[in-house]
Amino acid sequence: SGTAWIHGRKANCWVHVGAVDSPVSSGDVTSIANDLRQLDPNGNRVDVLGWDFAFDVNERVKQEAQRAGLDFSFQVIPREVLEKKAVEQGDIQFFELGAIGVAITQAPLSRDAGSRGVGGAGGEGKVTLALTDFMVRQDDIPEDVRGHITHWSQMLDYWAVDWDYRGDAFHNQWQSYRTRKDPRIQLSASYEYPAPGNYRVMIKAIDILGNDTTKVVEVTV
């Protein structure tokens, strides 16, 4: 294509392929948009293919792109592309990056904690997360399955929470999943922090196709 960030074109859609060793970031999206304007001032569609994505790409960054008149689609590169047989048989399918909606509520710390000066300005120590939406592109779901889905939660296989995510590995500290005996999935989870502070919480959701979607939120207790 002659640019550093646009790697090809399919029909009326430009394509960017993310690096193997780093996630697609908001800075990458800005660079892709700048290259697109130089290459095709009238173009607005880009498929961004990546092995991994920064947490804010599919929500905040995508919304910013839409406000700028750009249509970005973020799609996960499946590991099957590394299997020669799967490639030869044409069994490779890309799935669009999902998005999780989360509502956060907090309850005040106990009187004992307050008497010790913890959260003295009305701090809140118990945090409850409730899933409010789980978006997966409907075209990715087989038609026979799609016809039986009446609520977004049915697209969720299981989800897990790391209540103190520190930017390294995800630590599964809570999870809810379906079983044959109990196909229902719990849509909220609570945790009481032992000490005040600023915390990052990572939510990891796995859809019925086996794709994982993550979201990081910040809480102050």
Side-chain angles (χ1 to χ4, degrees):
S1 66
T3 74
W5 294 91
I6 300 293
H7 301 134
R9 183 172 185 171
K10 185 175 181 181
N12 64 338
C13 183
W14 295 97
V15 178
H16 167 83
V17 181
V20 175
D21 57 352
S22 62
V24 176
S25 67
S26 58
D28 293 339
V29 175
T30 299
S31 297
I32 295 167
N34 291 337
D35 267 14
L36 177 64
R37 293 188 183 98
Q38 295 179 21
L39 182 67
D40 183 7
N42 296 319
N44 71 333
R45 291 189 58 199
V46 182
D47 280 347
V48 180
L49 313 181
W51 299 94
D52 193 12
F53 292 84
F55 305 121
D56 60 347
V57 162
N58 203 37
E59 295 180 349
R60 182 181 64 81
V61 175
K62 190 169 186 176
Q63 291 173 0
E64 292 176 356
Q66 289 173 341
R67 286 194 291 270
L70 301 175
D71 181 9
F72 278 82
S73 172
F74 301 101
Q75 302 191 33
V76 180
I77 301 174
R79 300 296 173 183
E80 287 80 7
V81 300
L82 302 176
E83 300 175 8
K84 183 179 179 180
K85 185 176 181 180
V87 174
E88 292 174 346
Q89 293 178 346
D91 293 336
I92 306 300
Q93 186 173 3
F94 289 76
F95 293 104
E96 191 165 351
L97 197 63
I100 309 168
V102 179
I104 304 171
T105 56
Q106 294 180 242
L109 288 164
S110 66
R111 182 182 297 274
D112 290 342
S115 66
R116 294 194 302 270
V118 178
E124 298 175 326
K126 184 178 181 181
V127 174
T128 298
L129 302 177
L131 298 191
T132 59
D133 199 2
F134 183 53
M135 295 179 287
V136 177
R137 193 174 71 169
Q138 294 297 301
D139 290 347
D140 290 339
I141 302 173
E143 187 175 350
D144 57 333
V145 176
R146 190 163 63 239
H148 291 86
I149 294 177
T150 58
H151 190 266
W152 59 264
S153 62
Q154 292 173 274
M155 295 185 290
L156 190 64
D157 188 36
Y158 76 89
W159 66 294
V161 181
D162 181 347
W163 296 101
D164 188 13
Y165 176 65
R166 301 188 180 186
D168 48 13
F170 174 82
H171 299 281
N172 189 340
Q173 298 177 311
W174 180 94
Q175 65 179 358
S176 178
Y177 54 89
R178 304 180 190 278
T179 65
R180 290 185 177 181
K181 292 184 178 180
D182 187 2
R184 296 171 300 177
I185 196 164
Q186 188 173 332
L187 296 180
S188 65
S190 297
Y191 180 78
E192 187 162 354
Y193 286 91
N198 298 317
Y199 296 90
R200 300 178 75 201
V201 182
M202 177 184 279
I203 301 103
K204 182 185 289 287
I206 309 298
D207 66 31
I208 57 177
L209 300 172
N211 303 305
D212 67 289
T213 300
T214 56
K215 183 183 182 75
V216 174
V217 297
E218 296 185 359
V219 298
T220 299
V221 299

